[in-house]
Each structure stands twice: as structure tokens, then as C-alpha cells.
Amino acid sequence: MSAEQFDHLHNLLKPKLQKTSQREPISTEIRLAATLSFLAHGDSVRTISLWFRIGKSTLYAIIPEVCKAIWDILQPRYLKCPQSEDEWLRIAAEFYDKWDFPNCIGAIDGKHCHIQAPAYSGSAFHNYKGFFSLVLMAIVDANYNFIWVDIGDYGSMNDAGIWSKTKLEGGNNCANRKKRGRKKGREV
């Protein structure tokens, strides 16, 4: 990540990361840098706490706060789930125009992300590939842009089981569209 990219991300997140305290709080730059370092390198919290001279318990609090801020700020900008029927139809038209694939509103797949087995988890995270994992399921549009994600299901679950628990399955899409039907002779 370049310094300019870090500064841009920091400027977006700063209002959500700002803390007030009797003591001087850890700066927003350090909070963001420590979290990004943890996410990028996969090191332990102990190692990151030594690098940034932050207590482990403090870092355990900082990382989820910063991750939530990143999601809250960046998700609406870069992970836009269609909010209207017209947007879904536009995606379908792009699939047809670009890939000659009619009536397709997205390409979906699941990815097993390798993890260390959580304590006392039994076989919940053990997948059919023979390792422990969390499942990331995502939908992309015709241009490979993510439009929806579901993160964190057990590795032992298959794609159909994960899909059946999502908000998109069964017509409950992220547009919260009204179900179409007929009631007393009129469309609802």
C-alpha cells in the first residue's frame, strides 16, 4: 500500500476512528496501521503489539473496531448490491452483451479460506478438502465486480447450505423488493 493510498483510507476512516479520553488516545494513524499490518501479514497480535508498542489487550480491541469502520465506510462505496429491479436487469444485460449468457444476474461461488482450527470447534470448520476453513461466498457482475458477499460460515457447510441461509436466497434480495403477485385483481 502506498503512502497516498494509506492517507486516502485514513482520511475516509478518521471520523469513525477518532477517540476522546482523559489520557492521550492512540492516534488514528497508528490504529489503522496496526490493523492493516495485522491483516496483511497474518502475524500474531503479540508481534504486532511489539512492533507498534501497543498492549495486546488494547490491540485486541482496536482490530475489530478498525475492521468495522473499514467495512462501514468502504462497503457502500465498493460493494454495491443492486437496490432496484432495473439494476438487476442492467447486470443481466451486461452478462448477455459481454458473455452471450442470457438471464444471468450474477456469477456466484464459494471459497474456503484456510484457518487454524478454533478451540473446541470439533468438526464444524473441517471441510471436505481435508483442512479447517471459513467460507467466503460472493456474487460478481459481468465485469468481475463484487456485488454481494457472505463471509464466515463453517467450512463443513456446502455452498447450497450457505446459500439457503443468506438474505438473497428465496427472493429476499438486498433491494428489499416487494414480492410481486396478484391481490384482489391488482398487482402488489
Side-chain angles (χ1 to χ4, degrees), residues 14-28:
K14 189 173 182 174
K16 277 201 165 280
L17 298 179
Q18 198 73 45
K19 294 281 187 179
T20 56
S21 175
Q22 296 273 5
R23 294 180 290 166
E24 185 172 338
I26 298 170
S27 72
T28 56

Side-chain angles (χ1 to χ4, degrees), residues 4-109:
E4 292 81 19
Q5 290 170 326
F6 179 87
D7 290 340
H8 177 68
L9 181 59
H10 177 257
N11 289 334
L12 291 173
L13 298 175
K14 189 173 182 174
K16 277 201 165 280
L17 298 179
Q18 198 73 45
K19 294 281 187 179
T20 56
S21 175
Q22 296 273 5
R23 294 180 290 166
E24 185 172 338
I26 298 170
S27 72
T28 56
E29 292 92 348
I30 296 296
R31 293 164 54 84
L32 178 59
T35 300
L36 292 176
S37 181
F38 175 77
L39 295 173
H41 297 122
D43 273 332
S44 68
V45 169
R46 181 174 182 255
T47 304
I48 302 297
S49 72
L50 292 172
W51 284 355
F52 288 92
R53 300 181 54 89
I54 300 171
K56 286 191 309 185
S57 62
T58 304
L59 196 54
Y60 274 114
I62 287 173
I63 291 170
E65 287 175 8
V66 174
C67 287
K68 181 170 180 358
I70 290 170
W71 175 261
D72 290 346
I73 297 296
L74 298 184
Q75 183 270 330
R77 291 173 181 237
Y78 299 106
L79 189 63
K80 296 179 183 174
C81 190
Q83 297 297 309
S84 69
E85 188 171 336
D86 290 338
E87 290 176 286
W88 286 109
L89 292 173
R90 181 190 53 76
I91 291 172
E94 287 177 356
F95 265 102
Y96 184 73
D97 294 341
K98 190 167 190 166
W99 302 107
D100 198 25
F101 200 62
N103 305 316
C104 179
I105 60 169
I108 187 170
D109 197 13

Side-chain angles (χ1 to χ4, degrees), residues 4 21 42 68 78 107 109 131 157 163 174 177-178 186:
E4 292 81 19
S21 175
K68 181 170 180 358
Y78 299 106
D109 197 13
F131 59 89
M157 293 181 67
W163 175 251
C174 42
R177 222 176 44 175
K178 292 180 182 174
R186 65 176 196 255

